[in-house]
Amino acid sequence: MSKKYHDIRESAYEANMQLPKLGLVLFTFGNVSAADREERVFAIKPSGVPYEKLSPKKMVIVDFDGNIIDGDLRPSSDTKTHAVLYKHWENINGIVHTHSTYATAWAQTQRDIPIFGTTHADHLTVDVPCAPPMDDEMIKGDYEYETGFQIMNCFKEKGLSYEDVEMVLVGNHAPFTWGKTADKAVYNSAVLESVAQMAYLTEQINPSAPRLKDALIKKHFERKHGPNSYYGQ
């Protein structure tokens, strides 16, 4: 194992190990990657390896074109999606993909997750976007590669910034999240699952529940992220 990639292997390993601890994965249904922008590579979980059998050295090093650079195992089957996002979205250094229950359920409905409450507004000022299912030609082609463009096209069509909205539902599939670090991407994945569960329960209790008022959206987002934020130490 090359010492050159020690740090991103460690980062990817630690982040991957958070997924089962947070209840975001079942068996091997999920992956995290961590990028090194200077080297233009990322470390990602090997395909189909149970979490309890992972180690830093088993993380596979891949470049932003999806080519394996270092490692003895096959990388995650979602590797090309990660590669596309790293290549085109220059300010992210970690990506997570899971099939967490509630976020995946929303993805299967092909619906955005409405902004019902302040937990959602603490992280986003908009609905969690759901990318429409890709067309048949894309599915028949390089599927995982095209998934990256499916996500980017959704953001372009909705006028969203990947730096402001660090999560997406892929229609009929499952969620992807990202961030400036792999740890932040995992945090976003956990937040998304929680928000998805709350939104589901909200609609169960009141199918015509109103969206959060703009004033509350602004207040809760800006107290954590605005120029005069006062949340935390």
Side-chain angles (χ1 to χ4, degrees), residues 75-92:
S76 163
S77 57
D78 298 296
T79 292
K80 289 184 180 180
T81 307
H82 290 241
V84 167
L85 296 180
Y86 283 130
K87 188 170 184 176
H88 291 88
W89 287 351
E90 296 181 354
N91 293 320
I92 62 175

Side-chain angles (χ1 to χ4, degrees), residues 15-16 19-20 24-33 44-45 51 76-79 81-82 85-86 94-100 103-104 107 143-144 147 150-151 166 168-179 182 185-186 188-190 192:
N16 271 287
L19 298 186
L24 296 172
V25 296
L26 181 67
F27 302 120
T28 62
F29 304 170
N31 47 75
V32 186
S33 64
I44 191 166
K45 179 183 176 289
Y51 286 87
S76 163
S77 57
D78 298 296
T79 292
T81 307
H82 290 241
L85 296 180
Y86 283 130
I95 296 172
V96 176
H97 175 52
T98 75
H99 285 236
S100 61
T104 301
Y143 176 68
E144 290 79 15
T147 300
Q150 180 186 10
I151 292 168
E166 296 182 325
V168 70
L169 306 175
V170 175
N172 294 126
H173 186 177
F176 280 83
T177 62
W178 50 86
V186 171
N188 287 334
S189 187
L192 172 55

Side-chain angles (χ1 to χ4, degrees), residues 6-215:
H6 175 270
D7 289 350
I8 55 171
R9 275 194 162 109
E10 287 282 348
S11 178
Y13 169 73
E14 293 294 341
N16 271 287
M17 295 308 289
Q18 286 299 310
L19 298 186
K21 290 178 183 177
L22 291 166
L24 296 172
V25 296
L26 181 67
F27 302 120
T28 62
F29 304 170
N31 47 75
V32 186
S33 64
D36 179 334
R37 284 280 163 191
E38 288 186 6
E39 296 292 335
R40 294 187 64 78
V41 298
F42 59 95
I44 191 166
K45 179 183 176 289
S47 181
V49 177
Y51 286 87
E52 64 272 17
K53 293 185 178 179
L54 291 179
S55 64
K57 70 179 181 180
K58 288 183 180 177
M59 300 296 114
V60 186
I61 305 300
V62 181
D63 69 18
F64 291 176
D65 291 314
N67 302 305
I68 297 173
I69 301 301
D70 191 62
D72 299 324
L73 301 173
R74 275 189 308 202
S76 163
S77 57
D78 298 296
T79 292
K80 289 184 180 180
T81 307
H82 290 241
V84 167
L85 296 180
Y86 283 130
K87 188 170 184 176
H88 291 88
W89 287 351
E90 296 181 354
N91 293 320
I92 62 175
N93 295 300
I95 296 172
V96 176
H97 175 52
T98 75
H99 285 236
S100 61
T101 303
Y102 287 90
T104 301
W106 279 94
Q108 290 177 175
T109 70
Q110 300 182 30
R111 287 181 59 195
D112 296 351
I113 302 177
I115 183 166
F116 284 129
T118 59
T119 309
H120 187 143
D122 281 340
H123 300 89
L124 298 176
T125 60
V126 296
D127 296 350
V128 177
C130 182
M134 66 177 75
D135 63 38
D136 290 354
E137 288 306 308
M138 291 172 73
I139 295 169
K140 291 175 185 174
D142 196 341
Y143 176 68
E144 290 79 15
Y145 177 79
E146 295 290 1
T147 300
F149 288 93
Q150 180 186 10
I151 292 168
M152 292 190 298
N153 289 342
C154 171
F155 272 60
K156 185 176 181 180
E157 289 165 9
K158 291 178 180 288
L160 299 174
S161 162
Y162 73 88
E163 293 177 275
D164 295 334
V165 180
E166 296 182 325
M167 54 188 70
V168 70
L169 306 175
V170 175
N172 294 126
H173 186 177
F176 280 83
T177 62
W178 50 86
K180 292 187 182 299
T181 65
D183 285 344
K184 181 64 189 315
V186 171
Y187 171 88
N188 287 334
S189 187
V191 166
L192 172 55
E193 178 64 5
S194 181
V195 165
Q197 182 177 15
M198 290 178 193
Y200 165 75
L201 292 171
T202 299
E203 290 196 349
Q204 291 297 302
I205 296 166
N206 180 5
S208 58
R211 295 168 60 79
L212 190 61
K213 294 196 301 183
D214 286 345

Side-chain angles (χ1 to χ4, degrees), residues 213-226:
K213 294 196 301 183
D214 286 345
L216 278 171
I217 294 172
K218 188 172 189 292
K219 180 66 175 179
H220 273 263
F221 187 79
E222 290 189 352
R223 75 175 188 164
K224 286 190 87 168
H225 308 284

